[in-house]
Amino acid sequence: MATIDETKAAEGSGDTPKYKVIGTRPIRHDGADKVTGRALYGADIKVKGMIYGAILRSPHAHANIKSIDTSKAKALPGVRAVITSADLPEPGDKIAELGEGSVVLNHLSSNNLARTKVLYKGHSIAAVAADNIHIAQEAANLIEVEYEVLPPVLNVLKAMSDEAPVLNPDVRTEEVATGEKGDEPTNIAKRFLFEKGDIEKGFAEAKYVVEREFNTSTVHQGYIEPHVATALWNNDGQITVWTSTQGTFSVRQQVAELLDVPLARVKVVPAEIGGGFGGKISVYLAPVAATLSRIAGAPVQVVMDRTDVLQATGPTPGSHIKIKMGVDADGHITAADAWMAYEAGAYPGSPIGAGAMCVFSCYDVPNGRVEGYDVCVNKPRTNAYRAPGATNAAFATETVVEELCEKLGMAPVDFRLLNASKEGTRRVDGVTYPRIGLVETLEAIKESDHFKSPLEAQHRGRGIASGFWFNAGLKSAVTATVNSDGSVSLLEGSTDIGGSRTAIAMQFAETLGIAAEDIKPAVVDTDSVGYTDVTGGSRVTYATGWAAYEAGKDLQRQIVARAADLWEVDSDQVSYEDGYVLGPDKKVSFKEIAVELSAVGEPLVGRGVSNHNEPGGAFGTHVVDVEVDPDTGKVDILRYTAAQDCGTAIHPAYVEGQIQGGAVQGIGWGLNEEYWYDEDGSMRNANFLDYRIPTCYDLPMIDTIIVEVPNPGHPFGVRGVGEVPIVPPPAALAAAIYDAVGVRMDELPMSPPRVLHELLKKQKES
């Protein structure tokens, strides 16, 4: 079965180039292993002589560690190693870039095993390796820790007050614009400030001004596979780590830095990954498993359970946001002001920078100001989650936009079209957009059957919202070996989370004019391919796809030169076009020339690398219909449509899947998901029964509209897809709830108790 589509090549029109492979829907190369259960995930890894690890975690949200006694654990028969932070090197204040944010290594090490303080319930303190998991868990419970319990601070505004307990004595407020740092310990790690135009003049020119405050809760990525790491610290000093991760090279760097060993002594082998969404970039287990292995003299596997995942790995931050926007009588935005504080969790590193750049990204704001704060609280250190920081920001801005539209008497979609960012628009943070497709997504929604359909029943409402994400470039590498039968083995270093093997193979196949099924893509370890950055920021189809394109071009050049030698003609008489090698009176297919060349010369091996930074920002616009139960506050979704500019859809089914998955996660964030803490800082819903993610029973079909505005910064026009669809849903749902029952929601999630509270308040006021 070939995926080359001659019909598609003949039908292309407009800006969209004509492709043969791109735009088709081949079966994914890893599909059979995934659906038959033969794919190996992290916990499936078994290494000869492997033993098992367990971790002791803090019962307190905030406490000084006065002493740790491991003697009883070490004495238990079957125990092979017991470690604490004293067994990890002191990494100092060096900063590591992880691909979707940076981290101070001392904080990362303390997050792996607490040193002098625990900063959230579930913070790891000590680890045990034993002959089986039961002995390891029993031994972990025998470790005696003496604590000095401290008051926790869980609210971002309280954490910013002068009276709040300070979590990290080494944290000072950094003014990001100047790099200057304060003198006193504080929970406020960073302050961002972006300004454009004259904001006072802008508000003075406004006919209507709306100013509101919003709160959003901490939410988790909700990946199905828990964190797992297996490590062998061999007698020759080489460390091998098998793990499910979004970035093998990032894990290699983190392990080498945290264990103070040369980079070349660490090899990371990727397992298949059961979801990540930004949450599987930081290491939690690999350095611990490796240290246990060094002491025990055996490979060690450590697996988290669901409670550990929710309590002790990085969620996305809760936030407090103030938005003020003004418009003139014609509906043009005259000024916009944002004040944003994001929870960093135990250690600095929230996505406040991205949130501050996204907060007004969908609009042409002539006069703007954005102030943002990164604030430590007694929760697990936050990590990336699809479009990190953007969903919180969009919920606030889009809700204020809706209220402005009501004051103007203007349809929300027309207001957005009037003020939409487009090519040449300069954001408040100073970036000027290249060719983008926000207007096209708004027009696609406006012309959709969904938007044109009537919705008239009581307690039913419709809302729309737009969202943005930058996407990322960074570094990727691939190697392509032509086999003697004309197939190609394609080695890459990008973890395949959402079908990227096939999307990259398709771009390689398109370059050579061959079928996607003739490519055998494989995600390999850090010793087997060139450096590749993380699978994150919606960069892989763009960047690793570009590397695959370069590898295809490299092979074309080699094939032309080798064919010229074979045919005894000058190389300028030979060319490669559309899957064929053309020479004087000759036309030979790729497969035919591969067979010929493999018989007479050295192997054909192509290489491709990319390090481009023109990923082309992506926009999406969503429309949703809801029905609100006035007696319970429960919100049911009746219909949902998402339009998104993907540049060029390499594999449309994967694009649709990414849009649907992101929208569903945004719906969960909007309606139900939240970390629920008691006053002592204990998470009371650390399982999937009580932490409420959407299921198929909660949702209709998520309809998708693929908009293609090719990215001029990519050979095939690719833009990243996976981040944007999580951004608009909470705001679209808030607008639909208001349309249905007339209450403006300013807090996420918009769960039944919160919606009912607003309904009852409205009844009382009326």
Side-chain angles (χ1 to χ4, degrees), residues 321-344:
I321 300 173
K322 304 175 187 176
I323 298 290
K324 179 180 179 183
M325 297 179 72
V327 295
D328 65 19
D330 296 327
H332 291 97
I333 295 172
T334 60
D337 190 7
W339 186 97
M340 314 168 72
Y342 279 21
E343 298 172 353

Side-chain angles (χ1 to χ4, degrees), residues 1-6 20-22 24-27 29 485-490 501-521 576 578-580 589-591:
M1 180 175 63
T3 60
I4 291 181
D5 187 342
E6 300 288 353
K20 286 189 170 183
V21 179
I22 290 173
T24 63
R25 301 177 183 233
I27 295 173
H29 297 80
D485 62 353
S487 64
V488 179
S489 298
L490 187 68
R501 280 185 183 90
T502 300
I504 294 163
M506 290 173 70
Q507 293 179 70
F508 179 81
E510 182 72 49
T511 307
L512 287 175
I514 60 180
E517 288 79 0
D518 289 333
I519 315 301
K520 296 177 64 178
Y576 192 100
D578 208 16
Y580 290 89
S589 71
F590 176 84
K591 280 197 173 185

Side-chain angles (χ1 to χ4, degrees), residues 434-739:
R435 181 76 171 94
I436 54 175
L438 172 58
V439 168
E440 286 79 357
T441 67
L442 287 162
E443 291 173 340
I445 287 296
K446 190 175 181 180
E447 294 302 316
S448 68
D449 290 340
H450 181 169
F451 194 79
K452 292 179 177 178
S453 65
L455 184 70
E456 298 172 348
Q458 190 178 18
H459 303 138
R460 292 187 173 187
R462 175 171 294 162
I464 74 166
S466 297
F468 163 77
W469 182 248
F470 317 91
N471 296 326
L474 305 177
K475 299 175 183 177
S476 287
V478 305
T479 303
T481 301
V482 180
N483 301 310
S484 59
D485 62 353
S487 64
V488 179
S489 298
L490 187 68
L491 305 184
E492 57 183 279
S494 293
T495 303
D496 183 355
I497 297 181
S500 59
R501 280 185 183 90
T502 300
I504 294 163
M506 290 173 70
Q507 293 179 70
F508 179 81
E510 182 72 49
T511 307
L512 287 175
I514 60 180
E517 288 79 0
D518 289 333
I519 315 301
K520 296 177 64 178
V523 181
V524 295
D525 64 67
T526 51
D527 284 355
S528 303
V529 71
Y531 178 85
T532 299
D533 274 305
V534 298
T535 297
S538 288
R539 62 168 293 277
V540 171
T541 303
Y542 169 84
T544 311
W546 195 326
Y549 166 82
E550 295 293 350
K553 287 294 186 183
D554 186 27
L555 279 176
Q556 285 188 17
R557 291 189 288 270
Q558 294 183 49
I559 289 171
V560 166
R562 295 274 298 278
D565 289 342
L566 185 68
W567 296 338
E568 297 180 338
V569 299
D570 292 337
S571 59
D572 60 6
Q573 294 180 277
V574 182
S575 61
Y576 192 100
E577 296 179 18
D578 208 16
Y580 290 89
V581 186
L582 307 177
D585 302 322
K586 286 181 178 294
K587 182 178 181 181
V588 181
S589 71
F590 176 84
K591 280 197 173 185
E592 291 170 327
I593 198 69
V595 172
E596 284 192 60
L597 294 179
S598 68
V600 298
E602 64 269 21
L604 273 171
V605 180
R607 62 179 290 277
V609 297
S610 69
N611 185 23
H612 304 280
N613 191 30
E614 304 165 81
F619 292 84
T621 299
H622 295 195
V623 57
V624 59
D625 296 348
V626 304
E627 182 170 25
V628 180
D629 185 332
D631 296 323
T632 66
K634 184 175 184 293
V635 177
D636 288 321
I637 298 176
L638 306 175
R639 189 173 182 180
Y640 201 104
T641 303
Q644 184 170 322
D645 171 26
C646 66
T648 298
I650 301 298
H651 192 304
Y654 294 171
V655 172
E656 293 159 358
Q658 288 288 335
I659 295 172
Q660 291 166 329
V664 169
Q665 289 184 303
I667 290 168
W669 192 341
L671 293 183
N672 289 302
E673 295 181 36
E674 63 179 322
Y675 273 42
W676 185 262
Y677 284 96
D678 63 20
E679 61 182 15
D680 294 326
S682 293
M683 184 181 178
R684 305 303 294 270
N685 59 339
N687 58 73
F688 271 166
L689 285 177
D690 299 316
Y691 182 88
R692 182 75 166 82
I693 64 174
T695 72
C696 59
Y697 297 109
D698 300 309
L699 300 164
M701 179 67 182
I702 306 296
D703 293 319
T704 61
I705 302 173
I706 296 176
V707 175
E708 293 185 292
V709 179
N711 172 17
H714 187 275
F716 297 125
V718 169
R719 300 178 193 269
V721 173
E723 312 287 321
V724 177
I726 199 172
V727 181
L733 288 163
I737 291 170
Y738 179 76
D739 190 41

Side-chain angles (χ1 to χ4, degrees), residues 400-422:
V400 169
V401 163
E402 288 288 319
E403 199 166 340
L404 287 169
C405 291
E406 185 178 33
K407 290 183 179 299
L408 288 162
M410 182 180 289
V413 68
D414 292 331
F415 177 90
R416 288 174 170 85
L417 282 167
L418 180 68
N419 291 283
S421 293
K422 51 184 72 69

Side-chain angles (χ1 to χ4, degrees), residues 291-311:
T291 305
L292 287 170
S293 175
R294 176 176 59 81
I295 295 173
V300 176
Q301 184 174 86
V302 186
V303 184
M304 288 189 183
D305 61 21
R306 184 64 58 193
T307 297
D308 292 344
V309 169
L310 288 167
Q311 286 190 335

